[in-house]
Every structure is written in C-alpha cells, then in structure tokens.
Amino acid sequence: MQHEIVSPIPLLDEAGNLTEPGYAKRLLPVYDRSKIRGGATRLKEWDYYLVMNDHFALALTIADNSYMGLCSISLLDFDTQFQVTRSPMYLFPMGSTGLPVTSKVGDTAASGKGYGIFFRNDGHRRQLIAHMDKFHDGKDLDAEIILSAEPEESMVICTPFDKPGHFYFNQKINCLRADGTVALGDKAYTFDPSDSFAVLDWGRGVWPYHNTWYWGSASGLLCGVPFGFNIGYGFGNTSAATENMLFYAGKAHKLSEVTFHIPRRDGREDFLAPWTFESDDKRFEMSFSPVMDRASLTSAAFLKSDQHQVFGRFSGTAVLDDGTVLEVKDLMGFAEKVENKW
C-alpha cells in the first residue's frame, strides 16, 4: 500500500501527530512548529546538500537538533581517495538556528569561530556558500555553488513513529544541476552543470532516541535525460508509504519496498565489497561497486552516531510507472547505513 497525498494539508494535528501519513510528489503538507507536542528536545531539523560528479563531491549540512547544533563540511576526491570531514558542534540552539519551515524559499545560515555555511533560496535557484579556516593541512576551504533546473517533482514523505507526537517530514530533491567551485588552498574542484548534480535532503521531525536508517541516492544522465533515485528504510512506520522513488525527466515514479544487501565478512558488514539492491515489485534491481566509505563514529556521553556513507557506481535496471525499462550503468551515487543515539 502506497498512499499518495494529493492536496495541501496541515502536517500535524493539535496533538502533534501526522494528519495524513503517506508520500507526495510535491511539498504539499504544511509544517507548523507551533503544533509540535513531542518534546522540545526531541525536535530535529536539518538542510543537507550533496553536490557531486564522477570525480569528487562536496557535502554541506546545517542542523538544529534542539540540544545540539551542527555545521558540517565534507570534501571527497574519488580519484585520489582523499576525504576530509569537519563538523563543529554547538550546544542548545533549541531552534534558534532558524531553519525555514518550507524548502520552497528561504535562507539558512550558521557560523562559528573560523567557519560559516549559508544557503540562499530565492525560489528560483539555490546558492550554497561555505568557508572554514584550516580545513585540511592548514589550508582554508571556500565554496560557492549555484543549483538550478529544479525538477517538477520530488520525494516527500510523512512517516509516523510508534510514539505520540513523533514523526519525520522529509523532502529529497534529486537531479539539481550544479555550477561552482570548491577551493582548498590553491587546489580547485569545479562543478560543471553538464555533469554535476546535487541532492537536497530537507528533514524536519520529532525523533525517538535510538534509530537506524538506510539511504541511497544518485543523480545523473541517461542518454542525455536527467535520471535519479531515492531509496531508503529502517525507521518509523512505513505502512502508509515508503520513500522509494525514481526520477526521470523531472517526473517521479513511485516504488514499493527496496532492500539493501550489504555483504558481510567475518561476521561484520564489509562496506567496500559489492552490494546489491532489489525491490519487492522487481522495478529496482541494482548492483553497487563501492569506491569510498565516508565512515564516521561519534560517541560522547549519551550521544552516538555511527555512519557509513559509501560512494560508488550503480548498475542495473529501473522500471518507470508506464513499464519503461531503463538500463543503468556506472551511475555515481551513494548508499549508507547510519545508527544514531541522539
């Protein structure tokens, strides 16, 4: 069962629960913080952009997780296996970061000593600006990226948790064209819109303390046509809808359930060995050849985040709603497993 939300609705009722669990292809539910009832310290809000091509990637995050704020910058070079992530944290923002209540328009900014990230969205294009002193080997990082050609449709999901007042409201926008440069000292990484794409992960919700999620995403071109996908599961009650979708020529095509098959060796997950993916409706059948594991483990007091964001190339088949079969070969993207206690 995949329930589609087809008209604008309030996201939450007066008890802070979702009015209509399900998925949409546009940002139809309206988010109102005044209706949140699950506890001020359980609210998590973030804007995450990943910009990439076949050779390198930039990830930027601004997050206000009530008792903990985060600014994160990751730079990855797949050809040389270079990767650096810096994630300054600050205590008890409690919503003061001021993330927008809609992804359609609005600015997001956060800064601290020696760093700053700014996302500007005027409703027509998105501008990403970032700076960090001494990002790597004493060299400063500066980035400015313009995202344009936003597709007509995207993935929007309203997922309840089995706890009153807890929910996840999320939009993933794939296939944004990226144009700009990241400078690390005197080395420049240039994103060209002919071969560089971005995804926005826009998340708002009241989460339980312990959860694990699986997420995969890719954006690129198939015979000159923009194509991408969003796959994932692992948390919340997805009986009304999953977040699995294909995107082709600006249109979204809904999938049912997709399973990640992460290989194991010596009783543990081997993230850099080849993965496979399959959907219960046989519309998404992919192999995945890892190139790099952006692994991160944070554990302090009652907080824990164990992340494996694995970048690599997808090959296989994807079937659109009308039965059209798309052949995918070596499409660069990522798949991840993340466990959080937050």
Side-chain angles (χ1 to χ4, degrees):
M1 175 63 179
Q2 300 289 305
H3 173 68
E4 183 176 3
I5 299 167
V6 295
S7 59
I9 57 168
L11 177 72
L12 302 175
D13 61 20
E14 294 305 320
N17 298 312
L18 293 174
T19 61
E20 190 174 347
Y23 79 94
K25 296 179 180 179
R26 295 176 176 80
L27 198 70
L28 297 174
V30 178
Y31 178 57
D32 182 351
R33 288 191 189 96
S34 70
K35 292 187 176 181
I36 289 171
R37 301 289 184 267
T41 62
R42 304 309 312 153
L43 178 61
K44 317 294 181 187
E45 299 186 321
W46 66 79
D47 290 4
Y48 168 88
Y49 287 94
L50 174 67
V51 186
M52 65 183 296
N53 55 33
D54 283 349
H55 303 286
F56 45 85
L58 173 73
L60 302 172
T61 306
I62 298 176
D64 187 321
N65 296 325
S66 60
Y67 53 80
M68 181 269 290
L70 177 85
C71 282
S72 183
I73 302 175
S74 296
L75 181 63
L76 307 98
D77 187 322
F78 307 129
D79 297 335
T80 66
Q81 293 292 294
F82 169 86
Q83 60 164 310
V84 176
T85 297
R86 297 283 183 263
S87 303
M89 292 185 286
Y90 49 98
L91 294 176
F92 300 108
M94 300 301 293
S96 64
T97 309
L99 276 74
V101 296
T102 176
S103 69
K104 296 178 181 178
V105 67
D107 299 340
T108 304
S111 62
K113 184 178 181 180
Y115 69 89
I117 302 176
F118 180 40
F119 302 148
R120 173 180 287 141
N121 176 14
D122 63 6
H124 302 286
R125 68 174 192 170
R126 299 169 188 266
Q127 182 182 27
L128 317 180
I129 298 173
H131 170 82
M132 184 170 287
D133 291 348
K134 300 178 181 179
F135 180 76
H136 178 67
D137 281 348
K139 299 174 182 177
D140 297 351
L141 179 142
D142 286 282
E144 183 170 0
I145 312 291
I146 298 296
L147 305 182
S148 61
E150 185 168 323
E152 181 181 349
E153 295 182 341
S154 60
M155 192 290 300
V156 177
I157 191 82
C158 303
T159 303
F161 291 97
D162 294 327
K163 189 173 183 180
H166 287 58
F167 68 93
Y168 183 42
F169 180 39
N170 181 224
Q171 182 180 32
K172 305 275 181 39
I173 303 177
N174 284 65
C175 299
L176 293 156
R177 297 275 186 167
D179 184 3
T181 300
V182 182
L184 179 60
D186 58 3
K187 183 173 178 57
Y189 298 86
T190 299
F191 293 101
D192 188 302
S194 67
D195 65 3
S196 301
F197 294 86
V199 60
L200 166 63
D201 173 12
W202 188 89
R204 307 289 188 267
V206 176
W207 286 71
Y209 172 63
H210 188 196
N211 51 80
T212 298
W213 71 63
Y214 298 80
W215 178 32
S217 178
S219 297
L221 297 173
L222 286 185
C223 299
V225 179
F227 167 77
F229 58 80
N230 184 84
I231 52 176
Y233 62 99
F235 59 87
N237 184 339
T238 58
S239 59
T242 67
E243 65 176 82
N244 303 310
M245 277 191 184
L246 306 173
F247 309 100
Y248 187 70
K251 294 291 187 177
H253 301 257
K254 189 72 181 70
L255 303 174
S256 181
E257 296 183 1
V258 175
T259 302
F260 292 39
H261 297 286
I262 304 173
R264 301 183 70 86
R265 183 174 61 180
D266 300 328
R268 303 181 66 180
E269 290 160 320
D270 185 0
F271 290 100
L272 287 174
W275 304 24
T276 59
F277 302 81
E278 61 179 349
S279 62
D280 61 346
D281 53 15
K282 306 303 180 184
R283 291 178 53 194
F284 189 87
E285 306 288 321
M286 293 283 170
S287 62
F288 178 64
S289 299
V291 171
M292 177 183 290
D293 179 9
R294 191 191 68 78
S296 174
L297 175 61
T298 301
S299 183
F302 60 91
L303 294 177
K304 177 185 176 181
S305 182
D306 187 1
Q307 304 180 17
H308 287 272
Q309 184 181 31
V310 182
F311 293 84
R313 295 180 172 88
F314 290 88
S315 297
T317 58
V319 182
L320 303 182
D321 288 344
D322 65 1
T324 300
V325 179
L326 302 178
E327 299 288 341
V328 179
K329 183 172 176 58
D330 294 333
L331 178 65
M332 198 69 183
F334 71 88
E336 70 179 32
K337 179 184 179 181
V338 175
E339 180 189 8
N340 283 326
K341 293 181 179 180
W342 59 343

